[in-house]
Amino acid sequence: TVTSPAGTWMAPGYDDATWRAGQSPFGADRDNVPIGTPWTEADLWARREFEWTGDGARLAFAAYHDEDVEVFVNGVLAAQGSGYTTDYVELSATAAGRAALRPGRNLLAVHCRQTVGGQLLD
């Protein structure tokens, strides 16, 4: 989506039926990364369900982003990053983010802010 969602957009149960769908990476041409969904707006909010069967203690996120990125698991802030990256970086999960992860279906939600230059979020 491209407009700031209200309330608990990062939590399970939020109605995202009107959001645009797309494949990652989101952005514009940059660093020779093939773009799955064009994105030129200053903010991006994304949500995706996923299955988890691993050990929550080892939770980390690989991200390629511009400026600020926030990662949520089941509505809980699980990781943050800042700055322009030129490759994938590992974002360590917070204790609260690890605790929010459960076996089976989970929700991953990401907010990325970008104000200058070519955009990229994967």
Side-chain angles (χ1 to χ4, degrees), residues 24-37 39-41 44 63-69 83-88 112-114 116-122:
S24 64
F26 300 91
D29 291 336
R30 199 188 82 169
D31 299 330
N32 299 316
V33 175
I35 299 302
T37 301
W39 164 52
T40 57
E41 293 83 7
L44 174 75
Y64 200 147
H65 63 88
D66 288 330
E67 291 191 30
D68 302 330
V69 63
Y84 171 89
T85 63
T86 58
D87 205 346
Y88 289 90
C112 186
R113 183 177 64 88
Q114 196 291 118
V116 178
Q119 295 83 356
L120 180 67
L121 173 65
D122 190 9

PDB file of all heavy atoms in Angstrom, residues 24-37 39-41 44 63-69 83-88 112-114 116-122:
ATOM      1  N   SER A  24       8.248  -9.040  -4.227  1.00  0.00           N
ATOM      2  CA  SER A  24       9.485  -8.331  -3.886  1.00  0.00           C
ATOM      3  C   SER A  24      10.581  -8.759  -4.859  1.00  0.00           C
ATOM      4  O   SER A  24      10.453  -9.798  -5.503  1.00  0.00           O
ATOM      5  CB  SER A  24       9.880  -8.640  -2.440  1.00  0.00           C
ATOM      6  OG  SER A  24      10.177 -10.010  -2.301  1.00  0.00           O
ATOM      7  N   PRO A  25      11.625  -7.954  -4.936  1.00  0.00           N
ATOM      8  CA  PRO A  25      11.843  -6.673  -4.296  1.00  0.00           C
ATOM      9  C   PRO A  25      10.931  -5.580  -4.847  1.00  0.00           C
ATOM     10  O   PRO A  25      10.518  -5.618  -5.998  1.00  0.00           O
ATOM     11  CB  PRO A  25      13.294  -6.356  -4.593  1.00  0.00           C
ATOM     12  CG  PRO A  25      13.888  -7.499  -5.294  1.00  0.00           C
ATOM     13  CD  PRO A  25      12.795  -8.403  -5.694  1.00  0.00           C
ATOM     14  N   PHE A  26      10.659  -4.608  -3.975  1.00  0.00           N
ATOM     15  CA  PHE A  26       9.890  -3.433  -4.331  1.00  0.00           C
ATOM     16  C   PHE A  26      10.874  -2.302  -4.597  1.00  0.00           C
ATOM     17  O   PHE A  26      11.859  -2.165  -3.893  1.00  0.00           O
ATOM     18  CB  PHE A  26       8.978  -3.025  -3.167  1.00  0.00           C
ATOM     19  CG  PHE A  26       7.997  -4.089  -2.786  1.00  0.00           C
ATOM     20  CD1 PHE A  26       8.314  -5.026  -1.816  1.00  0.00           C
ATOM     21  CD2 PHE A  26       6.762  -4.153  -3.401  1.00  0.00           C
ATOM     22  CE1 PHE A  26       7.413  -6.016  -1.468  1.00  0.00           C
ATOM     23  CE2 PHE A  26       5.857  -5.142  -3.052  1.00  0.00           C
ATOM     24  CZ  PHE A  26       6.180  -6.077  -2.078  1.00  0.00           C
ATOM     25  N   GLY A  27      10.605  -1.488  -5.610  1.00  0.00           N
ATOM     26  CA  GLY A  27      11.477  -0.344  -5.813  1.00  0.00           C
ATOM     27  C   GLY A  27      11.632   0.086  -7.243  1.00  0.00           C
ATOM     28  O   GLY A  27      10.784  -0.137  -8.089  1.00  0.00           O
ATOM     29  N   ALA A  28      12.768   0.732  -7.480  1.00  0.00           N
ATOM     30  CA  ALA A  28      13.169   1.202  -8.796  1.00  0.00           C
ATOM     31  C   ALA A  28      14.555   0.619  -9.063  1.00  0.00           C
ATOM     32  O   ALA A  28      15.207   0.122  -8.151  1.00  0.00           O
ATOM     33  CB  ALA A  28      13.207   2.726  -8.817  1.00  0.00           C
ATOM     34  N   ASP A  29      14.998   0.674 -10.295  1.00  0.00           N
ATOM     35  CA  ASP A  29      16.302   0.107 -10.634  1.00  0.00           C
ATOM     36  C   ASP A  29      17.378   0.622  -9.705  1.00  0.00           C
ATOM     37  O   ASP A  29      17.531   1.825  -9.515  1.00  0.00           O
ATOM     38  CB  ASP A  29      16.674   0.464 -12.078  1.00  0.00           C
ATOM     39  CG  ASP A  29      15.795  -0.251 -13.078  1.00  0.00           C
ATOM     40  OD1 ASP A  29      15.244  -1.311 -12.724  1.00  0.00           O
ATOM     41  OD2 ASP A  29      15.664   0.253 -14.196  1.00  0.00           O
ATOM     42  N   ARG A  30      18.106  -0.301  -9.106  1.00  0.00           N
ATOM     43  CA  ARG A  30      19.208   0.073  -8.223  1.00  0.00           C
ATOM     44  C   ARG A  30      20.090  -1.137  -7.989  1.00  0.00           C
ATOM     45  O   ARG A  30      19.589  -2.249  -7.769  1.00  0.00           O
ATOM     46  CB  ARG A  30      18.688   0.584  -6.889  1.00  0.00           C
ATOM     47  CG  ARG A  30      19.759   1.394  -6.165  1.00  0.00           C
ATOM     48  CD  ARG A  30      19.347   1.740  -4.794  1.00  0.00           C
ATOM     49  NE  ARG A  30      19.620   0.582  -3.953  1.00  0.00           N
ATOM     50  CZ  ARG A  30      19.580   0.582  -2.653  1.00  0.00           C
ATOM     51  NH1 ARG A  30      19.236   1.659  -2.022  1.00  0.00           N
ATOM     52  NH2 ARG A  30      19.858  -0.480  -1.975  1.00  0.00           N
ATOM     53  N   ASP A  31      21.380  -0.931  -8.032  1.00  0.00           N
ATOM     54  CA  ASP A  31      22.360  -1.959  -7.686  1.00  0.00           C
ATOM     55  C   ASP A  31      22.164  -3.263  -8.461  1.00  0.00           C
ATOM     56  O   ASP A  31      22.431  -4.336  -7.946  1.00  0.00           O
ATOM     57  CB  ASP A  31      22.323  -2.252  -6.180  1.00  0.00           C
ATOM     58  CG  ASP A  31      22.662  -1.024  -5.355  1.00  0.00           C
ATOM     59  OD1 ASP A  31      23.433  -0.172  -5.827  1.00  0.00           O
ATOM     60  OD2 ASP A  31      22.142  -0.925  -4.232  1.00  0.00           O
ATOM     61  N   ASN A  32      21.661  -3.167  -9.678  1.00  0.00           N
ATOM     62  CA  ASN A  32      21.476  -4.339 -10.540  1.00  0.00           C
ATOM     63  C   ASN A  32      20.592  -5.409  -9.920  1.00  0.00           C
ATOM     64  O   ASN A  32      20.752  -6.597 -10.174  1.00  0.00           O
ATOM     65  CB  ASN A  32      22.837  -4.942 -10.930  1.00  0.00           C
ATOM     66  CG  ASN A  32      23.671  -3.953 -11.702  1.00  0.00           C
ATOM     67  OD1 ASN A  32      23.155  -3.284 -12.604  1.00  0.00           O
ATOM     68  ND2 ASN A  32      24.934  -3.829 -11.361  1.00  0.00           N
ATOM     69  N   VAL A  33      19.638  -5.013  -9.081  1.00  0.00           N
ATOM     70  CA  VAL A  33      18.679  -5.944  -8.481  1.00  0.00           C
ATOM     71  C   VAL A  33      17.418  -5.932  -9.326  1.00  0.00           C
ATOM     72  O   VAL A  33      16.837  -4.871  -9.549  1.00  0.00           O
ATOM     73  CB  VAL A  33      18.346  -5.530  -7.027  1.00  0.00           C
ATOM     74  CG1 VAL A  33      17.269  -6.427  -6.452  1.00  0.00           C
ATOM     75  CG2 VAL A  33      19.594  -5.554  -6.171  1.00  0.00           C
ATOM     76  N   PRO A  34      16.976  -7.091  -9.825  1.00  0.00           N
ATOM     77  CA  PRO A  34      15.733  -7.110 -10.600  1.00  0.00           C
ATOM     78  C   PRO A  34      14.537  -6.787  -9.703  1.00  0.00           C
ATOM     79  O   PRO A  34      14.364  -7.389  -8.650  1.00  0.00           O
ATOM     80  CB  PRO A  34      15.641  -8.532 -11.143  1.00  0.00           C
ATOM     81  CG  PRO A  34      16.720  -9.311 -10.491  1.00  0.00           C
ATOM     82  CD  PRO A  34      17.601  -8.390  -9.730  1.00  0.00           C
ATOM     83  N   ILE A  35      13.723  -5.817 -10.090  1.00  0.00           N
ATOM     84  CA  ILE A  35      12.591  -5.348  -9.300  1.00  0.00           C
ATOM     85  C   ILE A  35      11.360  -6.197  -9.613  1.00  0.00           C
ATOM     86  O   ILE A  35      11.017  -6.409 -10.765  1.00  0.00           O
ATOM     87  CB  ILE A  35      12.307  -3.860  -9.603  1.00  0.00           C
ATOM     88  CG1 ILE A  35      13.526  -3.007  -9.243  1.00  0.00           C
ATOM     89  CG2 ILE A  35      11.064  -3.377  -8.876  1.00  0.00           C
ATOM     90  CD1 ILE A  35      13.969  -3.099  -7.800  1.00  0.00           C
ATOM     91  N   GLY A  36      10.687  -6.680  -8.556  1.00  0.00           N
ATOM     92  CA  GLY A  36       9.464  -7.458  -8.722  1.00  0.00           C
ATOM     93  C   GLY A  36       8.233  -6.578  -8.832  1.00  0.00           C
ATOM     94  O   GLY A  36       7.295  -6.890  -9.555  1.00  0.00           O
ATOM     95  N   THR A  37       8.216  -5.460  -8.094  1.00  0.00           N
ATOM     96  CA  THR A  37       7.082  -4.527  -8.098  1.00  0.00           C
ATOM     97  C   THR A  37       7.621  -3.104  -8.071  1.00  0.00           C
ATOM     98  O   THR A  37       8.345  -2.742  -7.145  1.00  0.00           O
ATOM     99  CB  THR A  37       6.180  -4.745  -6.861  1.00  0.00           C
ATOM    100  OG1 THR A  37       5.699  -6.083  -6.879  1.00  0.00           O
ATOM    101  CG2 THR A  37       5.005  -3.784  -6.865  1.00  0.00           C
ATOM    102  N   TRP A  39       8.089   0.656  -7.248  1.00  0.00           N
ATOM    103  CA  TRP A  39       7.739   1.435  -6.055  1.00  0.00           C
ATOM    104  C   TRP A  39       8.553   2.710  -6.073  1.00  0.00           C
ATOM    105  O   TRP A  39       9.776   2.658  -6.072  1.00  0.00           O
ATOM    106  CB  TRP A  39       8.022   0.625  -4.790  1.00  0.00           C
ATOM    107  CG  TRP A  39       8.069   1.434  -3.529  1.00  0.00           C
ATOM    108  CD1 TRP A  39       7.131   2.310  -3.071  1.00  0.00           C
ATOM    109  CD2 TRP A  39       9.121   1.445  -2.559  1.00  0.00           C
ATOM    110  NE1 TRP A  39       7.512   2.857  -1.870  1.00  0.00           N
ATOM    111  CE2 TRP A  39       8.749   2.339  -1.532  1.00  0.00           C
ATOM    112  CE3 TRP A  39      10.328   0.790  -2.446  1.00  0.00           C
ATOM    113  CZ2 TRP A  39       9.546   2.589  -0.427  1.00  0.00           C
ATOM    114  CZ3 TRP A  39      11.123   1.042  -1.333  1.00  0.00           C
ATOM    115  CH2 TRP A  39      10.717   1.932  -0.337  1.00  0.00           C
ATOM    116  N   THR A  40       7.869   3.845  -6.098  1.00  0.00           N
ATOM    117  CA  THR A  40       8.569   5.127  -6.112  1.00  0.00           C
ATOM    118  C   THR A  40       8.103   6.043  -4.988  1.00  0.00           C
ATOM    119  O   THR A  40       8.621   7.134  -4.852  1.00  0.00           O
ATOM    120  CB  THR A  40       8.379   5.843  -7.464  1.00  0.00           C
ATOM    121  OG1 THR A  40       6.970   6.014  -7.703  1.00  0.00           O
ATOM    122  CG2 THR A  40       9.008   5.050  -8.598  1.00  0.00           C
ATOM    123  N   GLU A  41       7.132   5.610  -4.193  1.00  0.00           N
ATOM    124  CA  GLU A  41       6.630   6.419  -3.091  1.00  0.00           C
ATOM    125  C   GLU A  41       7.638   6.434  -1.940  1.00  0.00           C
ATOM    126  O   GLU A  41       8.520   5.600  -1.860  1.00  0.00           O
ATOM    127  CB  GLU A  41       5.281   5.871  -2.602  1.00  0.00           C
ATOM    128  CG  GLU A  41       4.153   6.020  -3.621  1.00  0.00           C
ATOM    129  CD  GLU A  41       4.145   4.903  -4.661  1.00  0.00           C
ATOM    130  OE1 GLU A  41       4.930   3.945  -4.529  1.00  0.00           O
ATOM    131  OE2 GLU A  41       3.358   4.990  -5.600  1.00  0.00           O
ATOM    132  N   LEU A  44       6.571   2.467   2.280  1.00  0.00           N
ATOM    133  CA  LEU A  44       5.973   1.212   1.838  1.00  0.00           C
ATOM    134  C   LEU A  44       5.582   0.414   3.064  1.00  0.00           C
ATOM    135  O   LEU A  44       6.365   0.288   4.012  1.00  0.00           O
ATOM    136  CB  LEU A  44       6.971   0.398   1.011  1.00  0.00           C
ATOM    137  CG  LEU A  44       6.483  -0.999   0.628  1.00  0.00           C
ATOM    138  CD1 LEU A  44       5.456  -0.908  -0.481  1.00  0.00           C
ATOM    139  CD2 LEU A  44       7.638  -1.866   0.201  1.00  0.00           C
ATOM    140  N   ALA A  63      17.660  -8.242   5.147  1.00  0.00           N
ATOM    141  CA  ALA A  63      16.955  -7.134   4.511  1.00  0.00           C
ATOM    142  C   ALA A  63      17.895  -6.351   3.613  1.00  0.00           C
ATOM    143  O   ALA A  63      19.088  -6.251   3.862  1.00  0.00           O
ATOM    144  CB  ALA A  63      16.375  -6.204   5.577  1.00  0.00           C
ATOM    145  N   TYR A  64      17.334  -5.805   2.562  1.00  0.00           N
ATOM    146  CA  TYR A  64      18.016  -4.907   1.644  1.00  0.00           C
ATOM    147  C   TYR A  64      17.107  -3.697   1.582  1.00  0.00           C
ATOM    148  O   TYR A  64      15.976  -3.802   1.103  1.00  0.00           O
ATOM    149  CB  TYR A  64      18.118  -5.592   0.286  1.00  0.00           C
ATOM    150  CG  TYR A  64      19.163  -5.075  -0.667  1.00  0.00           C
ATOM    151  CD1 TYR A  64      19.795  -5.948  -1.529  1.00  0.00           C
ATOM    152  CD2 TYR A  64      19.492  -3.739  -0.752  1.00  0.00           C
ATOM    153  CE1 TYR A  64      20.742  -5.515  -2.447  1.00  0.00           C
ATOM    154  CE2 TYR A  64      20.427  -3.283  -1.661  1.00  0.00           C
ATOM    155  CZ  TYR A  64      21.051  -4.180  -2.506  1.00  0.00           C
ATOM    156  OH  TYR A  64      21.975  -3.723  -3.409  1.00  0.00           O
ATOM    157  N   HIS A  65      17.529  -2.555   2.111  1.00  0.00           N
ATOM    158  CA  HIS A  65      16.594  -1.449   2.282  1.00  0.00           C
ATOM    159  C   HIS A  65      17.266  -0.093   2.135  1.00  0.00           C
ATOM    160  O   HIS A  65      18.476   0.038   2.202  1.00  0.00           O
ATOM    161  CB  HIS A  65      15.920  -1.540   3.659  1.00  0.00           C
ATOM    162  CG  HIS A  65      16.896  -1.409   4.795  1.00  0.00           C
ATOM    163  ND1 HIS A  65      17.252  -0.203   5.325  1.00  0.00           N
ATOM    164  CD2 HIS A  65      17.596  -2.346   5.482  1.00  0.00           C
ATOM    165  CE1 HIS A  65      18.120  -0.396   6.301  1.00  0.00           C
ATOM    166  NE2 HIS A  65      18.353  -1.690   6.412  1.00  0.00           N
ATOM    167  N   ASP A  66      16.407   0.918   1.964  1.00  0.00           N
ATOM    168  CA  ASP A  66      16.806   2.319   1.991  1.00  0.00           C
ATOM    169  C   ASP A  66      16.267   2.944   3.266  1.00  0.00           C
ATOM    170  O   ASP A  66      15.141   2.693   3.653  1.00  0.00           O
ATOM    171  CB  ASP A  66      16.216   3.075   0.798  1.00  0.00           C
ATOM    172  CG  ASP A  66      16.889   2.706  -0.505  1.00  0.00           C
ATOM    173  OD1 ASP A  66      18.067   2.364  -0.468  1.00  0.00           O
ATOM    174  OD2 ASP A  66      16.224   2.775  -1.543  1.00  0.00           O
ATOM    175  N   GLU A  67      17.069   3.766   3.888  1.00  0.00           N
ATOM    176  CA  GLU A  67      16.712   4.516   5.081  1.00  0.00           C
ATOM    177  C   GLU A  67      16.191   3.613   6.197  1.00  0.00           C
ATOM    178  O   GLU A  67      16.836   2.647   6.552  1.00  0.00           O
ATOM    179  CB  GLU A  67      15.765   5.653   4.735  1.00  0.00           C
ATOM    180  CG  GLU A  67      16.486   6.719   3.924  1.00  0.00           C
ATOM    181  CD  GLU A  67      15.685   7.980   3.769  1.00  0.00           C
ATOM    182  OE1 GLU A  67      14.891   8.319   4.661  1.00  0.00           O
ATOM    183  OE2 GLU A  67      15.857   8.641   2.731  1.00  0.00           O
ATOM    184  N   ASP A  68      15.011   3.937   6.753  1.00  0.00           N
ATOM    185  CA  ASP A  68      14.525   3.235   7.937  1.00  0.00           C
ATOM    186  C   ASP A  68      13.621   2.065   7.576  1.00  0.00           C
ATOM    187  O   ASP A  68      12.766   2.192   6.702  1.00  0.00           O
ATOM    188  CB  ASP A  68      13.735   4.194   8.832  1.00  0.00           C
ATOM    189  CG  ASP A  68      14.557   5.393   9.257  1.00  0.00           C
ATOM    190  OD1 ASP A  68      15.790   5.250   9.380  1.00  0.00           O
ATOM    191  OD2 ASP A  68      13.970   6.466   9.462  1.00  0.00           O
ATOM    192  N   VAL A  69      13.802   0.958   8.274  1.00  0.00           N
ATOM    193  CA  VAL A  69      12.932  -0.192   8.077  1.00  0.00           C
ATOM    194  C   VAL A  69      12.539  -0.728   9.452  1.00  0.00           C
ATOM    195  O   VAL A  69      13.347  -0.765  10.375  1.00  0.00           O
ATOM    196  CB  VAL A  69      13.612  -1.293   7.216  1.00  0.00           C
ATOM    197  CG1 VAL A  69      14.843  -1.863   7.887  1.00  0.00           C
ATOM    198  CG2 VAL A  69      12.627  -2.385   6.849  1.00  0.00           C
ATOM    199  N   GLY A  83      19.500   3.514   7.501  1.00  0.00           N
ATOM    200  CA  GLY A  83      20.556   3.771   6.543  1.00  0.00           C
ATOM    201  C   GLY A  83      20.357   3.050   5.231  1.00  0.00           C
ATOM    202  O   GLY A  83      19.538   2.160   5.094  1.00  0.00           O
ATOM    203  N   TYR A  84      21.128   3.466   4.303  1.00  0.00           N
ATOM    204  CA  TYR A  84      21.117   2.942   2.939  1.00  0.00           C
ATOM    205  C   TYR A  84      21.995   1.698   2.910  1.00  0.00           C
ATOM    206  O   TYR A  84      23.147   1.734   3.335  1.00  0.00           O
ATOM    207  CB  TYR A  84      21.674   4.038   2.038  1.00  0.00           C
ATOM    208  CG  TYR A  84      21.950   3.665   0.621  1.00  0.00           C
ATOM    209  CD1 TYR A  84      20.961   3.780  -0.339  1.00  0.00           C
ATOM    210  CD2 TYR A  84      23.218   3.235   0.235  1.00  0.00           C
ATOM    211  CE1 TYR A  84      21.227   3.476  -1.662  1.00  0.00           C
ATOM    212  CE2 TYR A  84      23.487   2.935  -1.088  1.00  0.00           C
ATOM    213  CZ  TYR A  84      22.479   3.055  -2.031  1.00  0.00           C
ATOM    214  OH  TYR A  84      22.743   2.757  -3.328  1.00  0.00           O
ATOM    215  N   THR A  85      21.475   0.579   2.442  1.00  0.00           N
ATOM    216  CA  THR A  85      22.294  -0.621   2.319  1.00  0.00           C
ATOM    217  C   THR A  85      22.578  -0.880   0.845  1.00  0.00           C
ATOM    218  O   THR A  85      21.790  -0.544  -0.029  1.00  0.00           O
ATOM    219  CB  THR A  85      21.613  -1.852   2.945  1.00  0.00           C
ATOM    220  OG1 THR A  85      20.414  -2.142   2.242  1.00  0.00           O
ATOM    221  CG2 THR A  85      21.302  -1.615   4.414  1.00  0.00           C
ATOM    222  N   THR A  86      23.717  -1.469   0.573  1.00  0.00           N
ATOM    223  CA  THR A  86      24.089  -1.800  -0.798  1.00  0.00           C
ATOM    224  C   THR A  86      24.103  -3.299  -1.030  1.00  0.00           C
ATOM    225  O   THR A  86      24.525  -3.771  -2.073  1.00  0.00           O
ATOM    226  CB  THR A  86      25.484  -1.220  -1.132  1.00  0.00           C
ATOM    227  OG1 THR A  86      26.426  -1.739  -0.203  1.00  0.00           O
ATOM    228  CG2 THR A  86      25.460   0.304  -1.066  1.00  0.00           C
ATOM    229  N   ASP A  87      23.639  -4.039  -0.051  1.00  0.00           N
ATOM    230  CA  ASP A  87      23.498  -5.487  -0.146  1.00  0.00           C
ATOM    231  C   ASP A  87      22.618  -5.928   1.014  1.00  0.00           C
ATOM    232  O   ASP A  87      22.204  -5.113   1.835  1.00  0.00           O
ATOM    233  CB  ASP A  87      24.868  -6.172  -0.067  1.00  0.00           C
ATOM    234  CG  ASP A  87      24.875  -7.540  -0.733  1.00  0.00           C
ATOM    235  OD1 ASP A  87      23.779  -8.087  -1.016  1.00  0.00           O
ATOM    236  OD2 ASP A  87      25.965  -8.066  -0.977  1.00  0.00           O
ATOM    237  N   TYR A  88      22.358  -7.203   1.097  1.00  0.00           N
ATOM    238  CA  TYR A  88      21.556  -7.723   2.196  1.00  0.00           C
ATOM    239  C   TYR A  88      22.335  -7.609   3.500  1.00  0.00           C
ATOM    240  O   TYR A  88      23.538  -7.857   3.542  1.00  0.00           O
ATOM    241  CB  TYR A  88      21.171  -9.180   1.943  1.00  0.00           C
ATOM    242  CG  TYR A  88      20.165  -9.296   0.841  1.00  0.00           C
ATOM    243  CD1 TYR A  88      20.569  -9.449  -0.479  1.00  0.00           C
ATOM    244  CD2 TYR A  88      18.804  -9.215   1.101  1.00  0.00           C
ATOM    245  CE1 TYR A  88      19.648  -9.529  -1.504  1.00  0.00           C
ATOM    246  CE2 TYR A  88      17.875  -9.293   0.080  1.00  0.00           C
ATOM    247  CZ  TYR A  88      18.298  -9.450  -1.214  1.00  0.00           C
ATOM    248  OH  TYR A  88      17.385  -9.512  -2.228  1.00  0.00           O
ATOM    249  N   CYS A 112       8.921   0.506   5.421  1.00  0.00           N
ATOM    250  CA  CYS A 112      10.190   1.073   4.984  1.00  0.00           C
ATOM    251  C   CYS A 112       9.949   2.510   4.543  1.00  0.00           C
ATOM    252  O   CYS A 112       8.990   2.793   3.832  1.00  0.00           O
ATOM    253  CB  CYS A 112      10.771   0.264   3.829  1.00  0.00           C
ATOM    254  SG  CYS A 112      12.433   0.786   3.339  1.00  0.00           S
ATOM    255  N   ARG A 113      10.837   3.392   4.983  1.00  0.00           N
ATOM    256  CA  ARG A 113      10.765   4.811   4.608  1.00  0.00           C
ATOM    257  C   ARG A 113      11.961   5.123   3.722  1.00  0.00           C
ATOM    258  O   ARG A 113      13.076   4.694   4.000  1.00  0.00           O
ATOM    259  CB  ARG A 113      10.809   5.684   5.861  1.00  0.00           C
ATOM    260  CG  ARG A 113      10.670   7.165   5.569  1.00  0.00           C
ATOM    261  CD  ARG A 113      10.646   7.952   6.865  1.00  0.00           C
ATOM    262  NE  ARG A 113      11.907   7.835   7.583  1.00  0.00           N
ATOM    263  CZ  ARG A 113      12.959   8.636   7.397  1.00  0.00           C
ATOM    264  NH1 ARG A 113      12.895   9.603   6.511  1.00  0.00           N
ATOM    265  NH2 ARG A 113      14.064   8.474   8.084  1.00  0.00           N
ATOM    266  N   GLN A 114      11.708   5.868   2.653  1.00  0.00           N
ATOM    267  CA  GLN A 114      12.776   6.227   1.724  1.00  0.00           C
ATOM    268  C   GLN A 114      12.444   7.580   1.134  1.00  0.00           C
ATOM    269  O   GLN A 114      11.363   7.770   0.632  1.00  0.00           O
ATOM    270  CB  GLN A 114      12.866   5.168   0.636  1.00  0.00           C
ATOM    271  CG  GLN A 114      14.125   5.179  -0.186  1.00  0.00           C
ATOM    272  CD  GLN A 114      14.242   6.373  -1.097  1.00  0.00           C
ATOM    273  OE1 GLN A 114      15.154   7.148  -0.939  1.00  0.00           O
ATOM    274  NE2 GLN A 114      13.351   6.552  -2.020  1.00  0.00           N
ATOM    275  N   VAL A 116      15.100   9.742  -0.601  1.00  0.00           N
ATOM    276  CA  VAL A 116      16.048  10.257  -1.599  1.00  0.00           C
ATOM    277  C   VAL A 116      16.571   9.101  -2.437  1.00  0.00           C
ATOM    278  O   VAL A 116      16.856   8.027  -1.915  1.00  0.00           O
ATOM    279  CB  VAL A 116      17.237  10.962  -0.904  1.00  0.00           C
ATOM    280  CG1 VAL A 116      18.246  11.452  -1.928  1.00  0.00           C
ATOM    281  CG2 VAL A 116      16.763  12.113  -0.050  1.00  0.00           C
ATOM    282  N   GLY A 117      16.720   9.321  -3.735  1.00  0.00           N
ATOM    283  CA  GLY A 117      17.385   8.340  -4.588  1.00  0.00           C
ATOM    284  C   GLY A 117      16.503   7.187  -4.994  1.00  0.00           C
ATOM    285  O   GLY A 117      15.290   7.229  -4.883  1.00  0.00           O
ATOM    286  N   GLY A 118      17.136   6.126  -5.491  1.00  0.00           N
ATOM    287  CA  GLY A 118      16.422   4.942  -5.950  1.00  0.00           C
ATOM    288  C   GLY A 118      15.952   4.113  -4.781  1.00  0.00           C
ATOM    289  O   GLY A 118      16.644   3.957  -3.779  1.00  0.00           O
ATOM    290  N   GLN A 119      14.750   3.610  -4.884  1.00  0.00           N
ATOM    291  CA  GLN A 119      14.159   2.845  -3.812  1.00  0.00           C
ATOM    292  C   GLN A 119      14.440   1.346  -3.969  1.00  0.00           C
ATOM    293  O   GLN A 119      14.532   0.846  -5.068  1.00  0.00           O
ATOM    294  CB  GLN A 119      12.629   3.037  -3.776  1.00  0.00           C
ATOM    295  CG  GLN A 119      12.193   4.425  -3.452  1.00  0.00           C
ATOM    296  CD  GLN A 119      12.192   5.353  -4.641  1.00  0.00           C
ATOM    297  OE1 GLN A 119      12.591   5.002  -5.735  1.00  0.00           O
ATOM    298  NE2 GLN A 119      11.766   6.580  -4.431  1.00  0.00           N
ATOM    299  N   LEU A 120      14.529   0.656  -2.817  1.00  0.00           N
ATOM    300  CA  LEU A 120      14.629  -0.798  -2.845  1.00  0.00           C
ATOM    301  C   LEU A 120      14.261  -1.355  -1.480  1.00  0.00           C
ATOM    302  O   LEU A 120      14.744  -0.876  -0.455  1.00  0.00           O
ATOM    303  CB  LEU A 120      16.053  -1.245  -3.182  1.00  0.00           C
ATOM    304  CG  LEU A 120      16.226  -2.775  -3.240  1.00  0.00           C
ATOM    305  CD1 LEU A 120      15.457  -3.371  -4.420  1.00  0.00           C
ATOM    306  CD2 LEU A 120      17.688  -3.144  -3.316  1.00  0.00           C
ATOM    307  N   LEU A 121      13.373  -2.328  -1.471  1.00  0.00           N
ATOM    308  CA  LEU A 121      13.060  -3.082  -0.261  1.00  0.00           C
ATOM    309  C   LEU A 121      12.856  -4.527  -0.647  1.00  0.00           C
ATOM    310  O   LEU A 121      12.052  -4.838  -1.517  1.00  0.00           O
ATOM    311  CB  LEU A 121      11.787  -2.560   0.423  1.00  0.00           C
ATOM    312  CG  LEU A 121      11.310  -3.421   1.598  1.00  0.00           C
ATOM    313  CD1 LEU A 121      12.320  -3.405   2.731  1.00  0.00           C
ATOM    314  CD2 LEU A 121       9.948  -2.958   2.082  1.00  0.00           C
ATOM    315  N   ASP A 122      13.618  -5.403  -0.034  1.00  0.00           N
ATOM    316  CA  ASP A 122      13.437  -6.840  -0.228  1.00  0.00           C
ATOM    317  C   ASP A 122      13.673  -7.508   1.119  1.00  0.00           C
ATOM    318  O   ASP A 122      14.584  -7.152   1.837  1.00  0.00           O
ATOM    319  CB  ASP A 122      14.437  -7.373  -1.247  1.00  0.00           C
ATOM    320  CG  ASP A 122      14.114  -8.800  -1.660  1.00  0.00           C
ATOM    321  OD1 ASP A 122      13.040  -9.307  -1.287  1.00  0.00           O
ATOM    322  OD2 ASP A 122      14.934  -9.385  -2.355  1.00  0.00           O
TER     323      ASP A 122
END
